[in-house]
Amino acid sequence: MIKPFLFVTAVHKDVTERLSKDDPQLYSKVKKVLEKNKQERHIRGGMATRRKYKGE
């Protein structure tokens, strides 16, 4: 039985560790997506805070 993930970082860690061994080509694609998300998350957080204080 697969245990549910409690934290997003656990998902990222598990995906990268398993995929690097099981499917290196897919791992390469997934890693690019995860890295882009990591680079942009501070922007999304700032936008969410702005919406919060604007009353949206």
Side-chain angles (χ1 to χ4, degrees):
M1 185 170 136
I2 298 174
K3 294 181 182 179
F5 293 106
L6 299 176
F7 302 102
V8 173
T9 52
V11 174
H12 287 197
K13 184 174 188 277
D14 188 57
V15 165
T16 55
E17 287 178 357
R18 284 189 193 181
L19 276 179
S20 64
K21 296 174 188 169
D22 295 340
D23 192 344
Q25 289 179 339
L26 182 58
Y27 168 73
S28 173
K29 293 177 184 178
V30 168
K31 184 172 178 158
K32 287 179 187 177
V33 171
L34 292 176
E35 285 300 318
K36 183 178 180 190
N37 181 48
K38 191 174 181 181
Q39 291 172 354
E40 294 174 349
R41 69 181 171 195
H42 70 282
I43 295 169
R44 286 191 306 274
M47 291 169 63
T49 301
R50 183 176 181 206
R51 283 192 304 271
K52 175 183 173 182
Y53 287 104
K54 281 182 88 174
E56 293 181 15

